[in-house]
């Protein structure tokens, strides 16, 4: 079923190529990029043409299809050895979102099993990963909206929407469904420095779908929570450790602290492809450090004196103890911990 509040697609397979909506250009311009080789896909992930944990995984899966086409044409006997280089390149494009290696592992499973030309099999698997992600988002939308408990305003951080996933979104999936059910009256979106995913992407996505959205500077969030204007903070995740600690866009952690202080509930919405049960706690999650220029310049202009240094982690870790609800496609864990995570993953 197509929702009237779901019009955006960031990743598509079209006529033997991967088509990505260039998210760096939004909201000013709608530019699609056509990628035909795996190196272009790795670069698009690294440079934020495509971003958001599930979308990165889906793009990488299609990247494997492109790689297989080249490697099998080069040598139908040794393509498996040759494609290993492409898989390694894709796997290291960005370090924090575990969906990337999760998707590549699934593609590796198909590589190990196929006989003859692998392209059709790999394309079928990439498409399955893509479709399963949308289905998971719809399920999480239902489960998350059921927790809202009445008409409310919500705050979100970064972009965990259709643009960050196969479609519909994780946090924005809950928001889309909640809005459809008449439960959400307004969405507050943090602008999300330094890449402005909240301002450029979330606010755009919601405006496209006619969902009322108010933008705020990241530093205004605590003041808003203090006013009692927000009932839930709803965010996505890039990697969740076995104990329930959540890595997500930098700024999520202080939102969770402020939410707890002000008695506002904090919901994390993420598919099980974002869970990393091999990592015991958030301390072990690799946190991407991005270039200092992202902070030291704005729109190409310097905003700090020459010689100033910058600390620019792209993600932070919110301890599980600050999460009121973890929504996955397999079910909900209230106050998640190691035991509840293990139970969810065993379902
Ligand atoms: O650096 P980004 O834009 O890839 O960061 C994205 C986020 O932090 C999202 O909140 C997360 O990937 C969840 S997307 C459903």
């Amino acid at each position: 079923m197509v929702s009237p509040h779901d019009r955006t697609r960031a990743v598509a397979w079209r006529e033997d190529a991967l088509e990505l909506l260039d998210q760096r250009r939004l909201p000013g311009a709608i530019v699609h990029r056509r990628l035909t080789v795996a190196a272009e896909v790795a670069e698009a992930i690294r440079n934020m043409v495509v971003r958001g944990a599930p979308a990165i995984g889906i793009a990488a899966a299609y990247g494997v299809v492109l790689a297989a086409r080249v490697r099998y044409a080069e040598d139908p006997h040794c393509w498996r050895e040759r494609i290993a280089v492409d898989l390694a390149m894709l796997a290291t494009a960005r370090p924090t979102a575990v969906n990337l290696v999760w998707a590549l592992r699934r593609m590796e499973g198909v590589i190990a099993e196929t006989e003859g030309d692998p392209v059709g099999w790999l394309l079928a698997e990439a498409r399955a990963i893509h479709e399963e992600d949308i289905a998971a988002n719809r399920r999480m939308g239902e489960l998350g909206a059921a927790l809202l408990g009445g008409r409310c305003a919500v705050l979100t951080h970064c972009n965990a929407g259709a643009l960050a996933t196969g479609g519909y979104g994780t946090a924005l999936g809950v928001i889309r469904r909640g809005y459809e059910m008449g439960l959400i009256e307004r969405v507050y979106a943090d602008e999300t420095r330094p890449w402005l995913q909240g301002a450029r992407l979330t606010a755009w996505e919601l405006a496209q779908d006619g969902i009322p959205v108010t933008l705020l500077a990241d530093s205004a969030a605590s003041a808003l929570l203090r006013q009692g204007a927000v009932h839930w903070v709803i965010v996505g995740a890039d990697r969740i450790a076995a104990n329930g600690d959540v890595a997500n866009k930098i700024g999520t952690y202080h939102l969770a602290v402020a939410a707890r202080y002000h008695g506002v509930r904090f919901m994390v919405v993420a598919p099980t492809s974002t869970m990393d049960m091999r990592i015991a706690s958030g301390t072990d999650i690799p946190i991407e450090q991005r270039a200092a220029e992202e902070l030291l310049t704005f729109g190409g202009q310097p905003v700090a004196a020459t010689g100033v240094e910058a600390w620019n982690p792209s993600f932070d870790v919110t301890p599980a103890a600050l999460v009121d609800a973890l929504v996955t496609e397999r079910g909900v864990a209230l106050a998640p911990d190691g035991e509840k995570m293990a139970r969810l993953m065993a379902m």
Side-chain angles (χ1 to χ4, degrees), residues 32-83:
H32 288 98
R33 301 200 173 271
R34 192 179 143 81
L35 314 184
T36 54
V37 295
E40 290 172 337
V41 180
E43 200 192 324
I45 293 171
R46 206 173 305 116
N47 296 335
M48 311 280 280
V49 172
V50 61
R51 33 64 52 199
I56 291 172
I58 294 162
Y62 286 122
V64 176
V65 179
L66 298 174
R69 192 165 64 197
V70 171
R71 298 303 183 188
Y72 190 74
E74 276 173 7
D75 186 340
H77 303 293
C78 295
W79 69 273
R80 279 194 184 81
E81 289 76 48
R82 292 177 179 225
I83 204 172

Side-chain angles (χ1 to χ4, degrees), residues 208-290:
Q208 291 288 303
D209 285 354
I211 299 175
V213 56
T214 300
L215 190 64
L216 63 151
D218 299 346
S219 47
S222 300
L224 181 71
L225 297 184
R226 186 178 194 175
Q227 287 184 0
V230 169
H231 308 88
W232 281 94
V233 172
I234 308 181
V235 297
D238 285 82
R239 193 186 295 229
I240 301 180
N243 70 345
D245 289 352
V246 175
N248 191 47
K249 178 54 55 195
I250 189 76
T252 303
Y253 173 40
H254 80 178
L255 261 186
V257 171
R260 180 59 57 88
Y261 184 78
H262 294 293
V264 174
R265 279 160 300 167
F266 191 85
M267 185 191 302
V268 176
V269 189
T272 46
S273 54
T274 302
M275 317 293 162
D276 189 349
M277 298 302 279
R278 296 182 303 183
I279 281 201
S281 81
T283 332
D284 299 322
I285 296 177
I287 299 294
E288 177 181 13
Q289 294 285 334
R290 292 191 64 93

Side-chain angles (χ1 to χ4, degrees), residues 108-265:
E108 275 168 342
V110 175
I111 289 172
E113 279 170 18
T114 46
E115 301 283 345
D117 186 344
V119 175
W121 298 106
L122 288 167
L123 181 56
E125 185 70 357
R127 283 197 159 123
I129 290 172
H130 194 167
E131 278 156 26
E132 285 166 27
D133 185 65
I134 299 174
N137 292 341
R138 290 199 162 274
R139 177 83 188 123
M140 293 188 290
E142 292 293 340
L143 294 171
L147 295 174
L148 294 175
R151 205 158 156 74
C152 63
V154 301
L155 169 68
T156 190
H157 187 66
C158 194
N159 172 266
L163 288 167
T165 62
Y168 200 66
T170 56
L172 290 198
V174 170
I175 288 169
R176 285 193 158 92
R177 185 66 190 124
Y179 184 74
E180 224 166 40
M181 292 163 72
L183 295 174
I184 289 183
E185 62 197 23
R186 176 153 300 273
V187 181
Y188 290 93
D190 279 354
E191 65 174 353
T192 318
R193 281 278 288 146
W195 269 84
L196 302 181
Q197 290 94 331
R200 295 188 306 100
L201 309 178
T202 295
W204 177 79
E205 234 189 274
L206 294 175
Q208 291 288 303
D209 285 354
I211 299 175
V213 56
T214 300
L215 190 64
L216 63 151
D218 299 346
S219 47
S222 300
L224 181 71
L225 297 184
R226 186 178 194 175
Q227 287 184 0
V230 169
H231 308 88
W232 281 94
V233 172
I234 308 181
V235 297
D238 285 82
R239 193 186 295 229
I240 301 180
N243 70 345
D245 289 352
V246 175
N248 191 47
K249 178 54 55 195
I250 189 76
T252 303
Y253 173 40
H254 80 178
L255 261 186
V257 171
R260 180 59 57 88
Y261 184 78
H262 294 293
V264 174
R265 279 160 300 167

